[in-house]
Amino acid sequence: METKTMKVEIWSDITCMYCYTAKRKFESALSQFKDKNKIEVVWKSFELAPDLKTDPDRFFPAFLAELRGISLEQSREMIDGVANMVKEVGLEFNLHKSIPANSFNAHRLSHLAKHSQMQDKTEERLFKAYFTEGKNIDDIPTLVQLATEIGLDTSAVKKALESTDYANQVKADISEAKEAGITSVPFFIFNAKATISGAQESKVFLQTLERAFELWQAEETQSCEIGKDCI
């Protein structure tokens, strides 16, 4: 009989640095959780800048300076500060060469990868491409290359991304977030009940995971007792 799993849904955007750091902190919590094999992680799409037009010749320092109304020098100082901060969770950011990009196509790739149980691996590759390697995550050939690197089928990815495949799934996630009142990311929902907003510390993720799992187990046991499938 197939082992049942408790679902953890993560609303996130590839261009969100807090989403990447939260991923690391959640992974740390999950590694300490004794029933981690019974946890199913599902990544959900969220766009921080849905109207952003990607310019491959524009880099993050100038983008941030314009966005915040600060000097280029101040922007670079902020970026250096962020890079030092994320080292605490083992990440390396090279935002000086990052290309501010629309993330819709990257989200489509994530949904495609879900069918192969490779969504988490895809999210990791996309985060690294954006924050560390300065790759254009809105560029179809780049996305195909990244997908191929992690083992997804090249021709299937190319065919999907050159069409409108998985666009509806991305839009559905965004609509679901609005209905749930989610206005910022990262946002975690455990077993459709407990929530965490932001890049909390690993111990907070672990405590929430343990409480949610205990409740989920109780619900599954009750279902089993009244004649439904057991865990």
Side-chain angles (χ1 to χ4, degrees):
M1 183 173 61
E2 184 179 352
T3 301
K4 289 191 175 182
T5 56
M6 188 191 83
K7 187 178 295 185
V8 178
E9 298 169 299
I10 309 172
W11 267 268
S12 169
D13 193 4
I14 301 303
T15 64
C16 167
M17 72 170 187
Y18 296 108
C19 296
Y20 200 6
T21 55
K23 185 177 188 293
R24 281 293 182 274
K25 292 177 179 181
F26 174 72
E27 287 168 344
S28 175
L30 193 59
S31 70
Q32 301 171 61
F33 185 61
K34 64 183 179 65
D35 290 300
K36 54 181 172 288
N37 63 313
K38 291 185 178 180
I39 302 300
E40 177 189 2
V41 177
V42 179
W43 289 88
K44 309 281 271 187
S45 302
F46 191 98
E47 284 192 287
L48 290 174
D51 298 321
L52 177 66
K53 288 185 168 62
T54 305
D55 180 355
D57 296 320
R58 190 183 190 204
F59 297 96
F60 195 79
F63 173 78
L64 180 62
E66 183 179 324
L67 183 68
R68 296 288 182 88
I70 58 178
S71 70
L72 193 57
E73 183 179 353
Q74 288 173 313
S75 173
R76 287 170 177 155
E77 288 175 357
M78 288 181 66
I79 286 170
D80 288 339
V82 168
N84 287 329
M85 181 182 70
V86 300
K87 286 178 181 177
E88 296 177 4
V89 292
L91 294 176
E92 178 186 352
F93 278 13
N94 292 315
L95 285 169
H96 292 286
K97 65 177 185 179
S98 288
I99 299 170
N102 189 290
S103 59
F104 193 86
N105 283 328
H107 285 301
R108 290 202 294 130
L109 175 59
S110 179
H111 274 280
L112 181 154
K114 184 178 178 181
H115 293 287
S116 303
Q117 289 77 50
M118 292 183 64
Q119 195 182 29
D120 191 77
K121 195 172 184 179
T122 299
E123 291 280 333
E124 178 66 31
R125 188 66 190 93
L126 289 168
F127 276 130
K128 184 177 180 181
Y130 181 79
F131 284 103
T132 304
E133 300 171 346
K135 294 186 183 294
N136 181 358
I137 61 160
D138 189 27
D139 178 63
I140 301 301
T142 298
L143 291 174
V144 172
Q145 178 189 352
L146 295 174
T148 300
E149 287 177 12
I150 60 174
L152 289 169
D153 183 80
T154 303
S155 59
V157 171
K158 186 174 185 293
K159 181 180 178 181
L161 294 181
E162 288 180 348
S163 70
T164 59
D165 287 359
Y166 301 99
N168 287 338
Q169 287 89 331
V170 175
K171 292 175 183 177
D173 280 356
I174 293 169
S175 295
E176 188 180 349
K178 289 179 180 178
E179 291 172 7
I182 299 171
T183 58
S184 63
V185 287
F187 196 90
F188 294 71
I189 300 183
F190 300 75
N191 189 31
K193 296 178 179 67
T195 64
I196 288 181
S197 178
Q200 303 294 334
E201 293 304 315
S202 295
K203 65 180 181 180
V204 176
F205 281 114
L206 182 58
Q207 290 166 357
T208 305
L209 192 57
E210 290 172 340
R211 288 196 299 267
F213 189 78
E214 184 178 356
L215 178 59
W216 174 79
Q217 277 192 314
E219 292 170 345
E220 290 298 316
T221 300
Q222 185 177 17
S223 296
C224 182
E225 289 173 351
I226 61 176
K228 296 183 180 180
D229 291 338
C230 301
I231 298 175

